[in-house]
Amino acid sequence: MKNTDKMTGGKIRLVYGDVTLGVYTEKLSAIFSYARGGMESLVKDGTEWLYRTPQPAFWRALTDNDRGNGFAHRSAMWMGADAFIRCAGITLCIDGREETLPVAPYNNRYTGEEQAESVVLTFTYITDTVPETTVVVAYEISGEGEITVSVHYEGKKELPELPVFGLRFIMPAKADRFVYEGLSGETYPDRMAGGIPGVYEIQGLPVTGYLVPQDCGVHMKTKWVTLYRGGAALTFGADEEAFAFSCLPYTALELENATHQEELPPTRRTVFTILGAVRGVGGIDSWGTDVEPAYHIPGDADIDFCFRIK
């Protein structure tokens, strides 16, 4: 996949497939699928980092406090939106010019050696909610091999509060460890007072051993995080504002489906989620008191965040 021997420094080589666009730089390469609606391959130094196309994330596994205050019943449609979302539109810009999506047979006019200085692919998704709303994810690739990812959620009246909003990456195998600069320990918007800024290394993909599996492992105010697998590494960095993230061996729905720890499936993947908004966990009394208003995520407000893969 690398095949960058004919490239000049700082340029991107483009390969127009029947239903894909290959983007190759000296440092990394990616394949974007028109059929699947997103980036389906990301290779750095010969290592593949994607098992599934990144998708917007709306759901976190319920916590005891979520169950106690009835949050699941008020916001249940976001669980369906998390599992089922459809790509409704794709735009492609090459060096600042919008191009017609070159699907077959029109892609046959290209040689496979076309070059550019910048490429932007934008995917628009529609949620299975009532009412529907949209999420726009844009990937901007530079000739230096950096990908800037911008994510926008359009708030709509009558939509319920969200558990989270982010972009989920499912990777082919378990990460050995991850290192990040941010707050120590597990932190949430209403549980950050004890977090100490610094650089921290986490071995494996730990899951907090609650009797009933639930959401865990969120890290707030992160400047960057690097995932390691074998001898390979991939870094996600904040653009302007720090982000939150979680790095677990399970999706939110896999955690949700288990009523006890022994019901969790074998660990095979890395589920890495960059979070632009996180609902607080509460814990005021665990028997019905909702999260404080400042830590809710209203469904009718826009959400924007941006990060870089480098």
Side-chain angles (χ1 to χ4, degrees):
M1 291 184 64
K2 199 171 182 180
N3 193 20
T4 58
D5 53 321
K6 295 184 180 181
M7 293 175 53
T8 58
K11 289 284 189 177
I12 303 167
R13 185 166 71 89
L14 304 174
V15 177
Y16 294 94
D18 288 350
V19 291
T20 60
L21 175 65
V23 179
Y24 300 87
T25 74
E26 293 178 349
K27 295 182 179 178
L28 57 79
S29 61
I31 298 175
F32 293 88
S33 170
Y34 311 144
R36 293 187 173 89
M39 183 169 58
E40 67 175 1
S41 174
L42 177 63
V43 174
K44 179 176 178 290
D45 298 329
T47 297
E48 175 62 71
W49 285 94
L50 288 182
Y51 179 69
R52 289 285 186 268
T53 301
Q55 298 284 351
F58 304 103
W59 191 254
R60 72 173 188 203
L62 293 174
T63 66
D64 288 337
N65 294 304
D66 291 332
R67 297 185 184 95
N69 63 52
F71 176 72
H73 303 289
R74 300 192 300 274
S75 296
M77 70 173 69
W78 289 118
M79 184 174 176
D82 190 277
F84 305 102
I85 193 166
R86 61 192 186 276
C87 181
I90 305 170
T91 61
L92 170 65
C93 288
I94 307 293
D95 290 337
R97 301 185 307 275
E98 186 169 338
E99 305 280 350
T100 301
L101 210 61
V103 297
Y106 306 105
N107 60 310
N108 292 325
R109 67 178 182 266
Y110 297 104
T111 67
E113 299 300 330
E114 282 73 21
Q115 295 189 359
E117 294 184 357
S118 69
V119 177
V120 181
L121 286 105
T122 303
F123 298 87
T124 300
Y125 303 93
I126 297 178
T127 62
D128 288 331
T129 54
V130 181
E132 294 179 341
T133 190
T134 58
V135 174
V136 178
V137 180
Y139 299 87
E140 180 177 357
I141 305 97
S142 72
E144 287 71 37
E146 184 171 274
I147 302 177
T148 300
V149 186
S150 303
V151 186
H152 171 75
Y153 162 86
E154 182 182 359
K156 282 285 185 70
K157 290 183 178 180
E158 300 182 12
L159 282 175
E161 297 175 10
L162 291 93
V164 296
F165 176 64
L167 192 66
R168 180 185 302 116
F169 296 78
I170 299 181
M171 299 176 178
K174 289 175 59 180
D176 304 318
R177 60 192 174 98
F178 59 91
V179 178
Y180 70 96
E181 182 177 359
L183 298 179
S184 60
E186 180 182 271
T187 50
Y188 284 81
D190 53 354
R191 291 290 181 271
M192 293 194 297
I196 302 171
V199 176
Y200 299 95
E201 180 173 341
I202 308 296
Q203 295 293 326
L205 301 175
V207 176
T208 306
Y210 299 115
L211 179 63
V212 178
Q214 53 195 279
D215 190 64
C216 60
V218 171
H219 303 274
M220 302 293 297
K221 293 190 175 181
T222 304
K223 294 182 179 180
W224 56 264
V225 55
T226 300
L227 282 66
Y228 294 89
R229 197 174 89 236
L234 187 67
T235 297
F236 296 78
D239 186 37
E240 294 181 359
E241 296 184 7
F243 56 75
F245 79 93
S246 69
C247 193
L248 299 169
Y250 305 115
T251 65
L253 298 183
E254 286 173 326
L255 289 169
E256 193 75 73
N257 192 53
T259 57
H260 293 89
Q261 289 285 330
E262 64 270 19
E263 295 175 8
L264 289 169
T267 56
R268 297 185 178 93
R269 315 288 178 209
T270 300
V271 181
F272 177 76
T273 309
I274 298 279
L275 297 163
V278 184
R279 176 180 166 87
V281 291
I284 296 168
D285 54 27
S286 294
W287 292 284
T289 300
D290 200 358
V291 174
E292 291 289 331
Y295 307 113
H296 291 211
I297 308 174
D300 60 357
D302 290 2
I303 304 172
D304 292 275
F305 66 95
C306 185
F307 61 92
R308 300 186 181 193
I309 305 172
K310 53 185 178 179

